[in-house]
Each structure stands twice: as C-alpha cells, then as structure tokens.
Amino acid sequence: YYITNNLRIASDLIMTGEETINTVEVAKNQFDEGRYSECLTTLTTMNTTSALNIKVQLNMILCSYLKKGSEHDLEWLLDNLYTVEGKMSKESEEEEIDEVEKAVLLYNIALVHFQTKNFDKAVIILEKLFKLIEPLEEGLVYKICFLLVECYLSTYQTEGAAIVVYYLDKQMATKSADGEIHKARMHQYKTRLFAQQKCLKACKREIKNVLSVSGTTASSLFLKSEFEYLRNNFKKSCKLLNSAPKSCPSKEHIPTLYYNNFGCMHFKMKKYNLGVLYLSQSLEANTKAVKAAPQGCNSTMYSINHHYQILYNYGIVLLHAGQPKAAFNCLSQAATVYSRNPRLWLRIAECAIGVVKQSQENEQIQNCKSSTVKAIVGSGIYRKTILNTNFQNQPKKCSAGLLSEEPTPSLTYAALCLNNALELLPPSNSGGPVNVSALPAAPLKEVSKLRASILCNLAYVWLGLGDPLQALKPAQELFSLTAAPVNLRLLGSVYAAEALILLNRNNEATNCLAPEFVGAIINSTNCQSKTNEDDASSTGSSPIPGKVPATQEMMVQDVHNIIILNSVALYCMKRDLNRAKRILAQHLSTLSDEEIPAQATMLLVYIELRQGNTEAALSILKQQQINLQLPALTT
C-alpha cells in the first residue's frame, strides 16, 4: 500500500482561471511520476495565488513526507493529517464538503495507523468508510476494502474479513476488467482467511488458484508452506520454503520471514535448540532489513519490521529450550507492544519462576555441605562432625502491596505478571462465547486451561514468597475449577494443603489431601484432553468422560505421589506416626524398587527413628543405598 494520490482534476478544487487548472494538471503529473519536490513547489505556487484550500494543504503534506531526503516520519504525517481533518470538520459545519475528499483523508489516516501496527484504530476508520462505500470512486473502494481485509487478518477477525471478501467477490463479478487485475490478491486473501479458520479443504483449493494465477512466487510458496504447516507436514513445508525466491515485489524481506517460519516449524517438532538458532537469525535479518530501508520515507521500514513478533516467538522457544533468563528479556520487550495478551504475561511469569528455580538449585549445590555441616572437631579416631540443627529454609515474606514494577526475573514480578493475566481474562462465571485478544497469536476461544495454569503458578509463587494466606485463595479456586486439567487441579489441592499447614490449620489441610477428595478430582468427568499448550492449537478426538487422558497419566501419577508423601508428612507433624506409616507402606507396596522416590525412603526412616526402631531404620538405609544429600521435599 502507498499513500493515496489525493490530487484531483480542477473541478474538484475551489479555484478559477485557466492558468490554475493547468497548474493542477502539472502538479498531478509530477505526483504520479514520483517528483514530489517539484510537485510541492507547484502546490506552494498554487497556494499563494489562490484562496486557502484544505485539499491543497493535504497534498502538500503528502509531498513533504514523500519527497527525497525528507526528515519527516509517520508520526509527523499522522499529526498533520489529523490537523487537516480538524479543519475539514470545522469547514463542513459551514458548508458541505465532498465525501470523496473526506474518504481520501480518512483512508490516508487509516493507512498510517496500519503501517505503525495500530490495527484497532485503522479498523475503526475503515469500518466507517466501508459503510459509506457506494458513492466512492472505484479505485478508492478497492484500496479501502483491501486495507480493511489486511487489518482484519492481521488481528484474526475472520468474520469481518469474510464479509469484505464476499463484497469484493460481488464487485469483481460485475466488473470483469478490474476483477482480473485484483484476482491474484483476492485468492491470497481467501487462502489466508481459510487458513485462520482452519478450513483446510477450502484453503487447499484457493492455494491451487493462487499458483495458477500468480505462479511460483514467494508469496504463493509461503502460503502453501503455511498450509502444510497447519497439516503438520513439516518436511514438505520446509521444502517449499527452500524453493521460494529470495525477493518479493511486496517489499517484504524474505530472509526475515524464512528464518522465522523455520524457527516455528522446529518448535512444533520439539527441536527447540534449532528453533532458537533460526529465530536468532530471523532477528538479525530483520535488523539488517530495517537499517537498509530507504531513508526519508520510513513507511517501508515500518512495513518490513517484524521485530516484536519475532521477539515473541524467540522468547517462547527459549523458554522451552531451558533458557528462562534470555526468554524473560525477549518476552518483556514483546509485552510493551502486546500488553493485552494474558498468555504472554503467564509466559513471562514462568520465565521468572524458571530463573529463580535455577539460581536456587545452583546455590543448593554450592552450599549443600556448608548448610548441613556446622563444624568438624577432633582428629583421627576422635574426629567428629557437628551438624546444624536449625535450617533457615523459610522464604522471605513479601506483602502483596509491595510488588516491584521493575521487569526483573523475581517471584514478586512473577506475581505481578500473573495478576495482570488474570485481570485480562473474562470472569469465570461469565456466560456466552469467549474471544480474548492474544496478539500476535490467534484470539483465545477457551480460557479455562489458561486460567488454571495462571492460578497454579500464582499459588506456587505466593508460597515461594512466604505468604500462605495469599496462596490459599488461588489454590482453592484452582481445585474447584471443574473444567481445568486434572493434574493442575491436583496441584491446587497440594498447594492449598501446604498453605493451610503454614497457617497452622492442619485439620483442613488433611481434608485437602484425603484419598476421597483426591479420588473425586481424578475421576472427574470434566477432565480435558491435555494441559495448556503454548501458543498452538491442535485437533484431536475428545477423551472418554471419566477417564484420565493418556497424555496426562504420567503427570497425574507424579502429582498423586506428591500428595501421598505430603499426607504422610502431615500425619508425622500431627504425631500420628502409626497412620503415617500405614499410608506410606500401602503406597510403597504399589511401586517397584526403581519407582520408589528417595523422599519416601527418608520419610520411612524418619518414622522408624521416631518410634525408636533404630535397627529398622539402618536396615532400610542399607537396603535402599540412597544418597544422603537429598533436596528438601517440595510440593
């Protein structure tokens, strides 16, 4: 898209005289030929020899922006266009102004918003023009419709895009000459529309039409590659990308898109390190393309700049590749543009949690001996090791009102991000269809799994910050969500029990870990087919009601084991050692020797020691041969 040529024939301008009419024609020819500096000079002459004319002012603004060596940017252009709109609105109160000239001005404003990625503002203006499109000239009609479709597809508003595409189909059917000119573009829009709607049969049909009309261009091959990507046929998708031309007439920078698409495909194939490599190359290619963009008119720079979309993808892949700190930096930058995406805030919180967890593990490895051994006295056969009897493992408490707003990978910032994510979701009791914006990805149509993931992380964070009262609320809300995945609901009961223990409400904690309560969650008829996956939707058959899906069985079993061990630890705290021993023995009888966790063995040794059975405790230790330097039991 380019700035629409706003110059009209002499009868459209408020001027008189043969000399002025000739000047208008000269200015129009200069503008069409790209001689913007000469056109600006001609327009200045017209402005000094005729009455003040808003249309001439508008054309002068466009020429000032487009001329070679211009230092004006799109922000300057937008400010001046809005100034002209204000003058035109004021003048329209006194006398009627041609709707075509208003439409040209509004189109130019919408186009600038589109170039600067402000799609919502562009859609508002273009929808207003679309309602008044009949009296407009044909060329402007196509420009408005194409730009509106582009905005709809960029924001995943498929219903609106389908309406405009249907209107364009009718227009082209009645005017065959112009229809042939725009035929290739229409097939491309239909292909993208059907791809977003996941209508793969219709998408395949339109791709054939694109190839028959346009041939094997970069655009058509990228569309076909995306189609194969949606079918999970990654090998063929890679082959199509490799066969695409290295240049594109639409001014898109092919290497940027090429490496980005390869990164996305390797992410889907779970080859995260390769995905990191390709997306880093995409970022480098994008930076080079922006620097190489023509100076003066920076609309090209805006159109080829995909920095924040790539950063979003890069951060997600880094998180899956086990690099939470680098992922945090990328996603924090992306959040400055996509701040309305609740899933993005969840990912940033997960990055912060990952960074904290890695630092804690490193400290634990380095300080394992020093935190356990207080001193060593004596020598030879009289050498003795004095152990610490007090371990300061309690997390530092943090008030909910003292959260830092600085983007640092800490638990306090993670709590802030998770609260942002919850605020962006609709209320859990709201009825009707859900459509939550998640740019740059498709909107969210179902948020129960996302809400469960946010609540689970929030409970974990508040427990890590030493505030069990704050942790209790999201934990209880989590295990009461019947639409949430079963493994997350079980974690909710674990976190709720831990919070209640820290609040000295052991009886209530016992209820959260009771076999009846846990069994009711596992046998819930609302178990979903899988846990919340990152930024990707997949099709598949629905699970059998009342049965835990196969993809969750291992995760559910792990959480169930944690619940039993926590239940045993809770009975030990309540001095009910016989019951704790009975539950633990019953659980261990269902596991093979390889499946018995070290924490379970240590609990059994603790119970035997508390009951005075020293020989039995030593026998268990000798039989299991476990590593004595064990991490603390965590939930």
Side-chain angles (χ1 to χ4, degrees):
Y1 298 102
Y2 299 95
I3 300 297
T4 302
N5 181 2
N6 191 35
L7 294 171
R8 303 294 174 193
I9 59 174
S11 59
D12 281 13
L13 297 172
I14 308 173
M15 302 178 200
T16 57
E18 183 178 350
E19 181 180 352
T20 303
I21 295 174
N22 292 334
T23 305
V24 171
E25 292 177 352
V26 170
K28 185 178 185 305
N29 292 332
Q30 290 170 342
F31 189 92
D32 291 338
E33 295 171 4
R35 295 182 290 158
Y36 304 116
S37 297
E38 298 177 22
C39 182
L40 181 59
T41 303
T42 305
L43 288 170
T44 305
T45 305
M46 289 170 51
N47 200 28
T48 56
T49 59
S50 64
L52 184 63
N53 191 293
I54 293 178
K55 301 171 188 177
V56 176
Q57 290 182 18
L58 174 57
N59 293 329
M60 290 176 65
I61 291 170
L62 298 180
C63 290
S64 298
Y65 171 75
L66 292 168
K67 71 178 182 179
K68 187 176 181 180
S70 173
E71 297 180 355
H72 301 307
D73 56 13
L74 284 175
E75 286 76 11
W76 175 89
L77 177 60
L78 189 62
D79 290 341
N80 281 271
L81 289 177
Y82 272 119
T83 301
V84 173
E85 184 197 21
K87 292 181 180 179
M88 190 173 286
S89 299
K90 186 176 180 180
E91 190 173 296
S92 64
E93 296 175 359
E94 302 172 0
E95 57 181 90
E96 185 176 354
I97 293 182
D98 185 44
E99 286 187 359
V100 174
E101 298 306 327
K102 283 185 180 179
V104 171
L105 173 61
L106 292 176
Y107 170 80
N108 284 330
I109 294 174
L111 181 56
V112 176
H113 282 310
F114 174 80
Q115 294 283 11
T116 54
K117 314 295 185 183
N118 291 322
F119 301 118
D120 292 337
K121 292 181 179 179
V123 165
I124 293 172
I125 296 171
L126 292 169
E127 285 179 343
K128 177 182 176 182
L129 291 175
F130 188 69
K131 294 177 181 178
L132 306 171
I133 207 166
E134 293 301 330
L136 304 180
E137 64 179 28
E138 186 178 328
L140 186 58
V141 167
Y142 280 116
K143 286 181 178 291
I144 291 172
C145 291
F146 286 146
L147 186 58
L148 183 55
V149 172
E150 193 71 43
C151 290
Y152 278 143
L153 292 177
S154 298
T155 53
Y156 296 90
Q157 300 182 51
T158 54
E159 293 181 1
I163 293 172
V164 181
V165 167
Y166 177 74
Y167 172 81
L168 285 171
D169 267 341
K170 288 175 62 179
Q171 288 291 108
M172 292 180 181
T174 57
K175 299 172 183 179
S176 57
D178 291 323
E180 288 298 323
I181 297 173
H182 302 297
K183 192 173 182 180
R185 178 179 287 184
M186 279 298 299
H187 286 309
Q188 290 183 6
Y189 283 144
K190 288 180 181 178
T191 302
R192 292 170 59 188
L193 175 61
F194 291 137
Q196 289 189 10
Q197 292 176 331
K198 301 296 188 293
C199 300
L200 297 185
K201 289 185 177 179
C203 184
K204 184 177 182 179
R205 182 179 64 249
E206 288 302 327
I207 286 176
K208 291 181 179 179
N209 293 333
V210 170
L211 292 171
S212 63
V213 174
S214 303
T216 54
T217 62
S219 299
S220 58
L221 289 176
F222 267 73
L223 284 172
K224 190 172 182 181
S225 173
E226 182 183 1
F227 169 71
E228 298 298 339
Y229 172 84
L230 293 174
R231 298 173 64 189
N232 294 326
N233 191 353
F234 304 118
K235 186 176 180 180
K236 188 171 182 180
S237 182
C238 292
K239 186 177 179 181
L240 288 166
L241 283 180
N242 285 325
S243 63
K246 304 306 178 186
S247 60
C248 181
S250 65
K251 295 191 176 183
E252 282 286 3
H253 192 242
I254 296 300
T256 301
L257 305 180
Y258 172 86
Y259 289 124
N260 176 75
N261 290 3
F262 257 90
C264 292
M265 279 188 282
H266 283 87
F267 171 77
K268 290 284 284 185
M269 291 187 285
K270 302 188 185 304
K271 298 179 180 179
Y272 303 123
N273 290 323
L274 277 173
V276 168
L277 174 64
Y278 281 115
L279 285 165
S280 64
Q281 291 177 326
S282 179
L283 271 178
E284 293 176 5
N286 184 77
T287 303
K288 291 179 181 178
V290 171
K291 289 181 179 179
Q295 298 297 318
C297 177
N298 65 351
S299 59
T300 303
M301 182 270 289
Y302 275 97
S303 63
I304 65 174
N305 189 3
H306 302 286
H307 179 72
Y308 289 102
Q309 296 99 314
I310 301 170
L311 267 182
Y312 179 89
N313 292 337
Y314 194 31
I316 297 299
V317 180
L318 282 169
L319 178 60
H320 281 75
Q323 302 180 46
K325 189 170 184 179
F328 180 86
N329 295 332
C330 292
L331 295 179
S332 296
Q333 292 182 55
T336 60
V337 175
Y338 306 116
S339 58
R340 302 292 299 172
N341 184 346
R343 191 162 51 190
L344 175 56
W345 289 111
L346 170 62
R347 300 300 169 228
I348 295 174
E350 289 175 344
C351 292
I353 294 170
V355 172
V356 172
K357 189 172 184 295
Q358 283 184 352
S359 64
Q360 288 175 345
E361 289 174 352
N362 293 335
E363 289 178 5
Q364 188 175 13
I365 293 172
Q366 294 173 2
N367 304 324
C368 183
K369 184 176 180 180
S370 62
S371 63
T372 306
V373 179
K374 184 176 182 180
I376 298 176
V377 296
S379 60
I381 60 174
Y382 301 106
R383 179 185 176 94
K384 294 182 180 180
T385 301
I386 301 176
L387 303 179
N388 278 325
T389 57
N390 251 336
F391 293 95
Q392 301 298 326
N393 290 328
Q394 289 298 325
K396 184 180 178 180
K397 293 189 177 182
C398 175
S399 173
L402 298 177
L403 290 174
S404 171
E405 295 184 2
E406 294 296 324
T408 54
S410 62
L411 291 183
T412 53
Y413 189 73
L416 180 63
C417 293
L418 293 167
N419 283 323
N420 287 346
L422 278 180
E423 288 296 324
L424 291 170
L425 293 181
S428 56
N429 56 358
S430 62
V434 176
N435 189 9
V436 179
S437 174
L439 290 176
L444 304 173
K445 303 295 184 182
E446 199 273 332
V447 296
S448 60
K449 296 176 184 177
L450 179 60
R451 188 188 306 278
S453 295
I454 295 170
L455 292 172
C456 184
N457 280 276
L458 192 58
Y460 174 88
V461 166
W462 282 120
L463 284 172
L465 291 172
D467 195 335
L469 194 60
Q470 288 283 348
L472 185 59
K473 182 180 178 182
Q476 290 177 332
E477 185 179 349
L478 174 58
F479 67 68
S480 64
L481 283 177
T482 56
V486 62
N487 55 317
L488 294 184
R489 294 182 65 198
L490 289 174
L491 279 175
S493 67
V494 172
Y495 294 151
E498 184 170 346
L500 289 167
I501 290 171
L502 293 173
L503 293 171
N504 293 323
R505 295 157 62 178
N506 292 348
N507 290 333
E508 295 178 56
T510 304
N511 295 333
C512 291
L513 299 176
E516 299 80 8
F517 181 78
V518 174
I521 293 177
I522 293 178
N523 296 322
S524 172
T525 57
N526 292 315
C527 289
Q528 300 298 313
S529 61
K530 62 176 181 177
T531 56
N532 184 42
E533 285 194 358
D534 190 89
D535 307 326
S537 60
S538 61
T539 57
S541 58
S542 299
I544 301 173
K547 182 180 179 181
V548 178
T551 53
Q552 289 187 6
E553 284 180 357
M554 291 185 64
M555 298 181 69
V556 170
Q557 187 59 43
D558 291 341
V559 178
H560 189 232
N561 290 337
I562 292 172
I563 290 175
I564 292 176
L565 295 179
N566 282 346
S567 179
V568 172
L570 179 59
Y571 283 119
C572 289
M573 293 173 62
K574 297 171 69 174
R575 303 291 193 272
D576 194 349
L577 299 178
N578 291 328
R579 188 169 184 180
K581 186 175 181 179
R582 184 173 65 253
I583 294 174
L584 184 57
Q586 183 180 359
H587 176 60
L588 293 179
S589 65
T590 62
L591 304 176
S592 63
D593 291 341
E594 296 79 11
E595 294 175 337
I596 295 176
Q599 290 90 345
T601 304
M602 294 301 290
L603 275 173
L604 188 57
V605 170
Y606 172 82
I607 294 171
E608 295 291 358
L609 289 173
R610 288 299 302 269
Q611 290 181 335
N613 302 326
T614 307
E615 293 183 1
L618 285 172
S619 175
I620 294 170
L621 289 174
K622 291 177 181 178
Q623 180 182 357
Q624 295 295 328
Q625 293 292 310
I626 65 168
N627 181 8
L628 293 179
Q629 292 185 352
L630 291 169
L633 180 62
T634 59
T635 57

